[in-house]
């Protein structure tokens, strides 16, 4: 019989209520939400059913004093993530830390040092690493069917959103680079499969309130020559595909509906001879008139996740497409890996070192972009 872990959720706002709590609730045999903490009294009221048996606290310190809380999952504001995680580690708790795991690279190094002092206690909530489409793409890349990979694209266009909460303010470390950025940069680094040696980026503020970025473009080149294109935008009314991978024998695309992978590649039996450029007059034809290429085209259903997909706390039925206006979707799969790591000592798939690298690349992207908030934006009001 599995040992049930007792969890305290720190931060009872949108993430704590509609992401952490319902995801944990999918594993009643593994987890019990034993406590919740938030400094704001109204956030400790009108909580969803997952908190029915939870003790509620007005501060992190009060919850850390609860001896029954074994695991603290941190869902507070961005700048508080690292200090809250370190305090929980120092109190002897296991910690699941939401993104961004740190808001600066030096802060990420502090987190790494704390993790080293308390090995096996810190787990990064890079839940997008466990998405079915992403992992199916990685599997196809590994087969070699696409040949030598030269280009990967990771896009998210969560709809045209004129957002106005605190995540639109730079003084709170808001913006899409802090919000969606850690997820997609982590995925891009996994698909890049090599250290980043060069990076270009552009951040823009277009339709949201505040002064933080709502459109992100990052191009990264790996030491292996592969290029990763990352784009996040809440200004796109026509979303692009989620993933694209190009190799020297074929390409794949994952459309935004996230149900299939479109694959077009050379027949595995197709042999490609050496080519030599013709410097003189060439037949009036395009390409190579002496070569007949045979392609295979497939629409491959994306393998379902081992866990479940949720949208604002509701479990989606198998094959159901998330409502475009329904908000954030998430995978609960991550929590089964956390439980196995704590109770069985199995390695957690996301390392702290990988999280630190995501922060480093994010900070480099912000610096390379030269982003300056619009003069017309709020620029700090309300902070």
């Amino acid at each position: 019989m599995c040992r049930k872990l007792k969890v305290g959720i720190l931060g009872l706002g949108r993430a704590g209520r509609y992401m952490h709590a319902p995801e944990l609730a999918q594993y009643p045999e593994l987890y019990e939400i034993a406590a919740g903490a938030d400094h704001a009294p109204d956030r400790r009221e009108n909580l969803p059913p997952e908190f029915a048996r939870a003790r509620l606290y007005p501060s992190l310190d009060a919850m850390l004093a609860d001896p029954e809380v074994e695991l603290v999952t941190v869902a507070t504001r961005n700048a508080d993530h690292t200090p809250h995680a370190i305090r929980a580690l120092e109190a002897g708790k296991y910690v699941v830390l939401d993104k961004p795991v740190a808001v600066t690279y030096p802060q990420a190094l502090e987190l790494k040092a704390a993790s080293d002092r308390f090995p096996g206690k810190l787990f990064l909530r890079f839940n997008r690493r466990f998405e079915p489409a992403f992992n199916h793409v990685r599997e196809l890349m590994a087969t070699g069917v696409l040949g030598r990979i030269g280009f990967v694209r990771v896009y998210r266009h969560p709809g045209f959103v004129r957002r106005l909460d605190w995540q639109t303010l730079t003084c709170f470390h808001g913006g899409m680079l802090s919000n969606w950025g850690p997820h997609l940069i982590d995925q891009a680094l996994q698909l890049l499969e090599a250290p980043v040696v060069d990076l270009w980026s552009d951040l823009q503020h277009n339709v949201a309130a505040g002064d933080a970025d709502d459109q992100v473009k990052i191009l990264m080149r790996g030491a292996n020559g592969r290029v990763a294109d990352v784009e996040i935008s809440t200004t796109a009314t026509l979303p692009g595909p989620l993933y694209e991978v190009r190799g020297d024998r074929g390409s794949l695309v994952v459309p935004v509906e996230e149900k299939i992978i479109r694959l077009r590649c050379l027949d595995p039996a197709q042999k490609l001879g050496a080519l030599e450029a013709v410097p003189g007059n060439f037949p009036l034809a395009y390409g190579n008139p002496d070569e007949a290429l045979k392609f295979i085209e497939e629409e491959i259903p994306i393998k379902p996740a081992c866990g479940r997909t949720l949208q604002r706390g509701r479990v989606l039925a198998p094959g159901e497409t998330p409502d475009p206006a329904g908000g954030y979707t998430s995978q609960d799969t991550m929590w089964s890996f956390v439980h196995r790591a704590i109770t069985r000592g199995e390695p957690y798939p996301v390392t702290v070192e990988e999280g630190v690298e995501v922060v480093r690349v994010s900070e480099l992207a912000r610096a390379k972009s030269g982003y300056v908030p619009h003069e017309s934006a709020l620029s700090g009001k309300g902070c």
Side-chain angles (χ1 to χ4, degrees):
M1 184 175 180
C2 292
R3 180 165 76 87
K4 187 179 292 190
L5 298 173
K6 295 189 176 182
V7 184
I9 298 179
L10 177 62
L12 302 179
R14 187 173 62 91
R17 290 171 186 242
Y18 301 129
M19 299 173 203
H20 295 231
E23 290 169 15
L24 285 162
Q26 301 310 305
Y27 294 94
E29 73 284 7
L30 304 183
Y31 295 101
E32 176 186 335
I33 299 176
D38 201 298
H39 71 281
D42 63 303
R43 294 300 171 96
R44 301 195 298 271
E45 299 174 352
N46 301 314
L47 290 165
E50 290 88 354
F51 291 90
R53 300 175 61 185
R55 296 175 292 281
L56 301 178
Y57 295 103
S59 68
L60 170 61
D61 288 338
M63 187 168 72
L64 292 178
D66 186 333
E68 289 196 6
V69 173
E70 301 172 82
L71 168 65
V72 173
T73 181
V74 178
T76 50
R77 293 194 177 192
N78 295 347
D80 294 326
H81 286 179
T82 295
H84 284 165
I86 293 175
R87 281 164 60 189
L89 289 171
E90 292 174 342
K93 311 295 187 182
Y94 291 98
V95 176
V96 169
L97 180 58
D98 212 332
K99 51 77 194 171
V101 299
V103 293
T104 67
Y105 185 55
Q107 194 181 60
L109 295 178
E110 290 180 30
L111 182 69
K112 172 66 167 58
S115 177
D116 290 342
R117 294 200 306 274
F118 304 99
K121 291 278 193 174
L122 177 65
F123 305 95
L124 306 184
R125 191 177 181 273
F126 283 9
N127 56 313
R128 299 286 169 182
R129 181 80 74 89
F130 303 90
E131 289 185 321
F134 171 68
N135 284 296
H136 201 159
V137 166
R138 293 183 74 186
E139 287 181 21
L140 287 171
M141 289 172 62
T143 66
V145 68
L146 302 179
R148 180 176 57 83
I149 307 298
F151 177 84
V152 297
R153 173 179 287 159
V154 184
Y155 278 18
R156 282 301 187 283
H157 300 143
F160 187 89
V161 184
R162 299 180 68 236
R163 194 169 182 171
L164 70 165
D165 63 343
W166 65 265
Q167 294 234 34
T168 65
L169 294 164
T170 56
C171 62
F172 287 131
H173 301 278
M176 286 295 104
L177 183 58
S178 294
N179 192 339
W180 273 94
H183 289 310
L184 298 199
I185 290 172
D186 175 62
Q187 289 189 351
L189 290 175
Q190 295 302 305
L191 298 179
L192 204 57
E193 298 182 315
V196 175
V197 296
D198 195 15
L199 183 149
W200 176 93
S201 68
D202 179 73
L203 304 183
Q204 296 181 15
H205 175 99
N206 293 301
V207 302
D211 60 354
D213 56 278
D214 59 9
Q215 181 163 288
V216 176
K217 170 69 81 172
I218 304 172
L219 296 175
M220 295 181 279
R221 180 183 289 113
N224 56 0
R226 189 176 299 174
V227 171
D229 175 1
V230 176
E231 184 175 298
I232 310 158
S233 177
T234 56
T235 70
T237 57
L238 294 171
L242 301 186
Y243 302 98
E244 181 178 352
V245 181
R246 301 177 196 161
D248 61 5
R249 291 189 66 88
S251 302
L252 66 77
V253 172
V254 178
V256 69
E257 294 81 11
E258 210 167 353
K259 291 186 176 181
I260 62 166
I261 297 175
R262 291 198 178 112
L263 177 71
R264 186 172 191 263
C265 61
L266 288 168
D267 187 319
Q270 176 94 52
K271 303 299 182 184
L272 298 178
L275 289 178
E276 185 173 338
V278 177
N281 289 342
F282 192 75
L284 300 178
Y286 175 76
N288 185 349
D290 300 322
E291 184 174 62
L293 299 177
K294 181 181 179 182
F295 289 91
I296 295 174
E297 298 190 32
E298 293 184 75
E299 289 193 351
I300 305 170
I302 291 172
K303 294 180 181 179
C306 297
R308 287 136 293 204
T309 301
L310 298 87
Q311 184 169 42
R312 198 175 172 82
R314 184 178 74 83
V315 179
L316 301 184
E320 180 181 356
T321 300
D323 178 2
Y328 189 96
T329 61
S330 60
Q331 289 291 323
D332 69 350
T333 321
M334 180 204 78
W335 294 98
S336 63
F337 286 94
V338 171
H339 190 274
R340 291 203 293 271
I342 293 174
T343 62
R344 303 182 195 174
E346 296 182 10
Y348 182 62
V350 183
T351 68
V352 174
E353 290 79 7
E354 288 171 336
V356 170
E357 178 63 5
V358 168
V359 176
R360 187 189 73 84
V361 170
S362 299
E363 190 166 276
L364 181 61
R366 193 178 301 281
K368 288 274 191 177
S369 74
Y371 176 70
V372 177
H374 282 194
E375 293 180 4
S376 60
L378 292 181
S379 191
K381 290 183 181 179
C383 296

